[in-house]
Every structure is written in structure tokens, then in C-alpha cells.
Amino acid sequence: MEGATDIRVTYKRVLLKISGEALMGDQGYGLHPPTVARIAEEVKSVHDIGVEICMVIGGGNIFRGLQGSAQGMERTTADYMGMLATVMNALAMQSALEALGVHTRVISAIPMDQVCEPYIRRRAVRHLEKKRVCIFAAGTGNPYFTTDTAATLRASEMACEAIFKGTKVDGVYDKDPKKHDDAKRYDKVTYDEVLQKHLGVMDASAIALARDNRLPIVVFALDEPGGFRGILSGDGTYTLVGP
């Protein structure tokens, strides 16, 4: 890997969106501390080259509102439970990052002052300017909205230059590459193509919001060591979703 002085940073402020399942490792449920620590190392490597970082982490490793609703739970209650799960994941990531010496703030859309800050846009921007990593938790604070939509909303509010969507594959494919050997990977795809072809990058509300704000989405493999930093240096494999 090149030294920090040689890195060609493409973006100055980005939002990293990862699923709660990314924190499970090989487990079927919950948090896998070595996996959380590895992702924290990836974030630190990007933070070290001067990029301002926001994060949004899903809660599906602990509780998913839609699944709870499908099993008979009232949807609003189920979604609020999912929001609380994202706070737990955010606190775990904060702990891992601060163990590496990265100053971090967890900022929740649902006030819970004993464990994290309430969301105040100007304060969050100031944290970023002070080179603190901001982890936005509890989604948008409203039921019926996913963490994908929350990520796009927060990225827009924070004036991020791109959303980095960390997944299990190295980009956007026309079909599941783990099930189909002839799956085609896109180097670049438009917002409208994602919606029309149901490519599953993010939910439709998130894609539409990104399109309206001309916010590019970079889809890459989170499991690839150094992938996050590599893309910012102009290398790596990914799909760019844009205009």
C-alpha cells in the first residue's frame, strides 16, 4: 500500500453504509468482535489519509423490523426495535474505533442522552470538521424508512461527496454472482437503471433521494482488505452508481 503522502484522495468527505449483517462475521446472529475490529481498521486507514467519514450501520444482525412485522408484530413497534439495534451496533463500532485512537461520536435520531448525542446537523458538521468519525444511528427516527434511506439523507445533509456501500460482492451485478456464474458486473450504472432493473443496490426511496441530490454511490466489497482506502486512491474494483 502506498504511503499517505502518495495517496490521491478522490473524495474529501464520504459516508460509509454497511449492513448489520456485516458485523456478524461467520456467526448467524449478533456481533463478532474481531469482524467489528477489522472494519474499524479499514475506517481508520481512510481516516488517516484525511478523509472525513460518516457511517450508518444497519441493525439486521440483531433485529430487522420487516421480519418482525411479517411475524405478526405491529410494524411501527418492529421498526423502532430495529432502530435500537442500530444504536447497539453504532456503540460497538465506536468502541472499536476509539480503541484505535480514532475520535468518534454516535449521533442518534432518537434522543438517548446517556449513551449518545441527539442529531443536530450543525453540531455533526462541526464534528466532521474536527476530524471525528460520526456514526449516525436509529435511522431517520421514523418507522417505515430503512437505514439505506437514512444513509442517503444524512449524506445529503452532511454535504458528503459520495456514499460508499460496503457489501459482500465487489460491485453491482445483474444477478446474484454467488448463484450464477454468468452474472455480469457493471462498472457504472445510472440511478434510473438501478430502479428499472431492480438491481438491489439500495431501496427505491434511497436511490431516488440520491438521484435528486446527484449523490454518487460507490458499491464495493467490504470483505476485501484495503478496499475502502484503495478505491479512494483510485484503485480497486467497484461499481459507481450515478447520473
Side-chain angles (χ1 to χ4, degrees):
M1 180 67 68
E2 296 176 356
T5 55
D6 300 321
I7 288 289
R8 179 175 62 83
V9 178
T10 310
Y11 301 110
K12 299 294 185 184
R13 180 182 294 174
V14 302
L15 185 142
L16 174 64
K17 167 64 172 70
I18 61 178
S19 66
E21 288 87 347
L23 306 183
M24 293 191 308
D26 295 328
Q27 301 175 156
Y29 178 81
L31 288 158
H32 184 237
T35 299
V36 177
R38 180 186 63 77
I39 295 173
E41 289 274 9
E42 292 280 321
V43 174
K44 181 181 185 299
S45 72
V46 172
H47 180 267
D48 286 348
I49 59 174
V51 179
E52 296 172 2
I53 304 171
C54 311
M55 296 182 70
V56 170
I57 306 171
N61 58 319
I62 298 172
F63 189 86
R64 187 179 291 279
L66 273 175
Q67 290 178 355
S69 178
Q71 294 174 18
M73 186 176 292
E74 196 270 322
R75 172 66 188 270
T76 302
T77 299
D79 279 354
Y80 278 121
M81 291 173 68
M83 291 179 216
L84 296 178
T86 70
V87 177
M88 295 171 68
N89 285 338
L91 292 172
M93 183 58 65
Q94 178 184 43
S95 178
L97 284 167
E98 295 202 333
L100 298 173
V102 179
H103 295 295
T104 309
R105 294 290 187 273
V106 173
I107 301 172
S108 172
I110 299 175
M112 48 186 82
D113 295 344
Q114 287 85 352
V115 295
C116 51
E117 292 185 8
Y119 176 70
I120 300 171
R121 189 188 68 84
R122 291 176 67 89
R123 181 188 292 177
V125 169
R126 187 64 180 140
H127 286 319
L128 291 173
E129 291 171 348
K130 291 182 176 180
K131 307 304 179 185
R132 296 166 181 157
V133 173
C134 289
I135 307 175
F136 296 110
T140 65
N142 301 288
Y144 295 93
F145 289 92
T146 67
T147 51
D148 281 344
T149 301
T152 310
L153 175 64
R154 295 294 183 241
S156 301
E157 290 178 303
M158 294 298 105
C160 291
E161 297 170 5
I163 296 174
F164 278 67
K165 175 77 182 285
T167 68
K168 294 183 178 180
V169 293
D170 59 354
V172 179
Y173 287 78
D174 61 348
K175 60 185 83 170
D176 189 342
K178 295 187 176 181
K179 296 180 180 177
H180 304 277
D181 293 335
D182 61 342
K184 172 191 172 186
R185 188 181 67 80
Y186 297 95
D187 288 326
K188 185 173 181 180
V189 64
T190 67
Y191 305 114
D192 289 337
E193 286 177 310
V194 169
L195 294 171
Q196 292 164 6
K197 297 179 181 179
H198 304 286
L199 295 178
V201 177
M202 289 178 160
D203 65 69
S205 297
I207 294 295
L209 183 58
R211 178 187 61 193
D212 291 346
N213 290 282
R214 301 184 66 82
L215 184 63
I217 304 167
V218 178
V219 183
F220 72 105
L222 189 65
D223 293 337
E224 184 69 30
F228 187 19
R229 176 168 165 162
I231 293 168
L232 283 162
S233 68
D235 301 320
T237 303
Y238 58 91
T239 297
L240 179 64
V241 181

